[in-house]
Amino acid sequence: MVRPATPLVFPLLALALSFVATGAVAADRKDAMAEWKGRMTDLDTRIKAAQSEAEQHGLQAQMDQLLQACAQARGCDIAQLLPIYREASTARSNAAKDDGDGGDDDGPDEMIDVAGDKTPEQANADKLLDERNRHFMDMVKMNPAVQAGIRRWLTDMRPSLMNSYENFQYLKSSMLPAFQSRGLSEALLFGIIAKESNGKVHVGSRVGAVGPLQFMPATGRRFGLGNDGSGFDTRYDPRMSAEAAAEYFRERYAELNNNIEMSLAAYNGGEGRALRVYQSTGGRSFWDADVYSQFPAETRDYVPMVIAAAWLYLHPREYGVRFPRVSDRPAQFKLEKPTTFNEMTICMGNARGTDGYLRALRNMNPRYSPDTWLSAGTVLNGTTAMARAYNWNCTSGRRAELAHELTVADARSAIVRIGPLEPAQSASAASTQIGESGLGATAQDPAARVQPVAASKPAPPKLVAKVEPKKEKPRKVKMYRVARGDTLGRIADRHDCELKTLAKANGLRAPGYIVKPGSSIKLEGCDK
């Protein structure tokens, strides 16, 4: 008989509030923590004794709630509860492996993050179903077009879905507040990012849309995006682009009677078209044939694909999706020495099941290129896991040295250029060739020396017309104006230059060879 999951004896919120409202924590902290640990231990015991996955899941959800309540309650030391939580999670993980669920060996406690409204990674995705996400699910329509979108995300586009999820976890802390403050769904934001850019901040389209949310220049300017005066386009800034997108959707919702599909159609196919179609058809659904046919094929594909990605974000278990575990707690860290994102990516390594930190570093610090040399003392945005990986592996030690060697290695220096042989070298080479043919024995055996042959009279020289060589005009050295994102290495590749010659001509020092945007450099030793 399956024992149903029962609620905690005391409501968790009431427990937390009682600790805050009274002086119990201050007066008797040990007893208070004993109460928290007792409840966690009780849940752990019941999880291990559970007879079904559903029962385990319900108890685990209660354990997650208990952790969150502790994190927000004065006097509750969450560190004392985490070992019990991890033990219970291990039990669930092992049970899943035993049942042939595939499991994973990342370890249940590798990416736990409990703070404020954060939830542990082991929590079921239904925890995302807050009021905003429930509203999203109530408003959108699940139909064959959305199902076809889900099928695509789960087949040939599955790698894109996984990459989008991993990138979104790093972007979420800067982008989600804009959507939440306007009552918009987290799943909606994920769906748009997955379809627009796969969570790659620096992506651009052939028509001029750029950034994680792909704003066109004119639309971006309407919502305060564009050149900030330093040469940086704020459409690439995750936080600012999310603010603009959230405000855009707030306007579209107001115009289109909170219709999510029509608002998405406006985002992709143009707000003027969407409003005109909506008004001319009496506010009918996007899926109405008369409405649907008035949008271009790209928009007819875009709307269900965004909804499908959002749906999978909220219901991964239902479709057998195992999203990568990503530690997304924001943190800043200071560089101990000059470096580049490329060098840091090599020495930082990667968390299990992920592709490393290059994309995360770029997404969270969009003003820098991967090969831009950053000075010591530069403060970067990242996560606690990224900061730990940098401090452990990139400040000193063999891995840091290897990463630097790989970063400054110039492939062109592997090419050996041999000039013409000197006369002495030519004679030596000829002598060597004679010795190798067996005719050089006299040099080694004095008894076998051959008498020299009398030199013949040289033939008179032939008279030839003297041709004066053409004097080459000195080649004018070209100048190049450094663009934002340029490095000396890139410029050398583009103009077929010797990197060291180019650096020397412009007084630039290794290893950084730092060039400033807007400055002009001589293309000395360049073929293009």
Side-chain angles (χ1 to χ4, degrees):
M1 176 175 157
V2 176
R3 182 175 58 182
T6 58
L8 296 173
V9 177
F10 299 104
L12 299 175
L13 184 58
L15 177 62
L17 291 175
S18 68
F19 286 166
V20 175
T22 68
V25 174
D28 199 354
R29 189 179 299 271
K30 288 185 179 180
D31 287 349
M33 277 310 305
E35 180 74 14
W36 286 101
K37 290 175 71 174
R39 298 188 182 286
M40 185 65 81
T41 302
D42 176 64
L43 286 170
D44 176 41
T45 302
R46 292 165 60 190
I47 284 174
K48 292 174 180 175
Q51 300 179 24
S52 71
E53 183 179 354
E55 184 181 2
Q56 276 191 336
H57 173 67
L59 292 166
Q60 183 75 52
Q62 292 183 38
M63 190 173 273
D64 295 337
Q65 293 171 12
L66 185 61
L67 275 182
Q68 292 176 62
C70 175
Q72 298 177 33
R74 289 179 58 190
C76 182
D77 182 5
I78 199 169
Q80 297 187 40
L81 302 186
L82 281 175
I84 307 171
Y85 178 90
R86 290 166 180 163
E87 186 177 347
S89 298
T90 301
R92 287 194 69 206
S93 177
N94 292 338
K97 290 178 185 178
D98 294 341
D99 291 342
D101 188 31
D104 63 57
D105 57 1
D106 285 354
D109 58 342
E110 185 175 348
M111 294 299 180
I112 290 178
D113 184 1
V114 184
D117 61 351
K118 301 282 186 181
T119 58
E121 286 292 335
Q122 285 81 359
N124 185 272
D126 286 344
K127 286 204 171 304
L128 295 171
L129 297 184
D130 59 12
E131 183 180 350
R132 305 174 191 88
N133 287 307
R134 290 185 189 280
H135 177 72
F136 168 81
M137 290 205 312
D138 291 341
M139 295 297 291
V140 298
K141 185 174 183 178
M142 172 62 74
N143 60 25
V146 175
Q147 291 173 324
I150 292 175
R151 181 178 67 238
R152 288 170 61 193
W153 283 119
L154 295 181
T155 51
D156 60 299
M157 292 184 67
R158 186 183 286 256
S160 295
L161 180 70
M162 295 300 169
N163 288 337
S164 298
Y165 180 88
E166 181 178 347
N167 292 335
F168 180 62
Q169 299 312 299
Y170 292 113
L171 294 169
K172 194 163 61 173
S173 62
S174 62
M175 299 185 76
L176 186 56
F179 268 55
Q180 288 181 328
S181 66
R182 293 167 178 83
L184 298 173
S185 165
E186 177 177 339
L188 173 64
L189 175 59
F190 171 74
I192 296 169
I193 284 178
K195 180 59 177 167
E196 291 285 1
S197 65
N198 288 155
K200 297 176 181 177
V201 164
H202 298 88
V203 73
S205 75
R206 55 183 174 78
V207 295
V210 302
L213 295 170
Q214 292 290 281
F215 270 95
M216 292 290 287
T219 309
R221 284 192 295 271
R222 271 182 50 210
F223 291 90
L225 302 178
N227 193 317
D228 65 356
S230 70
F232 178 70
D233 189 335
T234 55
R235 289 181 293 165
Y236 292 108
D237 186 282
R239 182 188 62 79
M240 295 182 69
S241 63
E243 284 284 346
E247 187 59 24
Y248 183 94
F249 273 97
R250 189 192 66 78
E251 287 187 5
R252 301 291 76 73
Y253 275 24
E255 283 183 347
L256 302 169
N257 194 30
N258 291 325
N259 188 302
I260 293 177
E261 286 93 346
M262 289 298 290
S263 297
L264 287 170
Y267 193 82
N268 176 261
E271 61 204 67
R273 184 205 305 265
L275 182 59
R276 185 170 61 254
V277 172
Y278 183 78
Q279 291 175 339
S280 65
T281 58
R284 279 185 274 174
S285 165
F286 173 80
W287 303 110
D288 185 283
D290 290 340
V291 175
Y292 186 80
S293 62
Q294 294 189 57
F295 287 99
E298 180 184 341
T299 303
R300 296 198 297 265
D301 172 76
Y302 179 86
V303 172
M305 287 298 289
V306 170
I307 295 172
W311 193 271
L312 286 170
Y313 186 75
L314 294 172
H315 307 93
R317 285 179 66 93
E318 201 172 309
Y319 296 89
V321 174
R322 301 178 72 88
F323 284 127
R325 291 178 177 177
V326 177
S327 178
D328 60 353
R329 183 182 292 179
Q332 291 187 322
F333 56 99
K334 184 184 294 186
L335 298 182
E336 298 295 324
K337 58 184 181 179
T339 188
T340 69
F341 285 171
N342 283 337
E343 182 176 317
M344 292 170 63
T345 301
I346 296 169
C347 59
M348 287 169 68
N350 64 283
R352 192 177 305 175
T354 65
D355 294 331
Y357 294 111
L358 180 59
R359 173 53 53 191
L361 284 166
R362 296 199 66 199
N363 279 356
M364 302 179 83
N365 304 275
R367 292 175 180 269
Y368 302 123
S369 298
D371 50 4
T372 298
W373 280 91
L374 308 174
S375 60
T378 301
V379 176
L380 297 178
N381 296 317
T383 66
T384 52
M386 291 165 65
R388 185 168 59 247
Y390 172 78
N391 290 326
W392 283 357
N393 303 313
C394 298
T395 56
S396 62
R398 182 56 182 153
R399 196 194 294 184
E401 293 171 0
L402 285 171
H404 186 70
E405 290 173 11
L406 296 173
T407 301
V408 300
D410 184 353
R412 286 167 300 184
S413 65
I415 308 303
V416 179
R417 291 179 171 82
I418 302 177
L421 294 175
E422 296 296 328
Q425 292 176 309
S426 300
S428 173
S431 173
T432 302
Q433 290 173 358
I434 293 173
E436 288 174 351
S437 67
L439 300 178
T442 55
Q444 301 172 10
D445 185 1
R449 286 179 183 168
V450 178
Q451 293 297 323
V453 178
S456 59
K457 188 176 180 179
K462 293 180 180 179
L463 296 176
V464 293
K466 187 176 181 180
V467 180
E468 291 290 338
K470 290 184 179 180
K471 292 183 179 180
E472 291 187 7
K473 294 181 180 179
R475 190 164 61 174
K476 187 178 179 181
V477 177
K478 295 181 180 179
M479 302 297 291
Y480 175 78
R481 190 174 183 81
V482 179
R484 184 164 189 84
D486 273 344
T487 64
L488 197 66
R490 283 185 181 176
I491 296 171
D493 288 339
R494 191 179 306 139
H495 297 279
D496 198 9
C497 315
E498 285 288 344
L499 181 64
K500 292 183 179 179
T501 303
L502 188 60
K504 185 177 180 180
N506 292 279
L508 302 175
R509 290 185 175 182
Y513 297 134
I514 296 174
V515 291
K516 295 182 180 179
S519 63
S520 295
I521 64 171
K522 300 176 187 177
L523 295 180
E524 187 79 38
C526 303
D527 293 334
K528 292 183 182 178

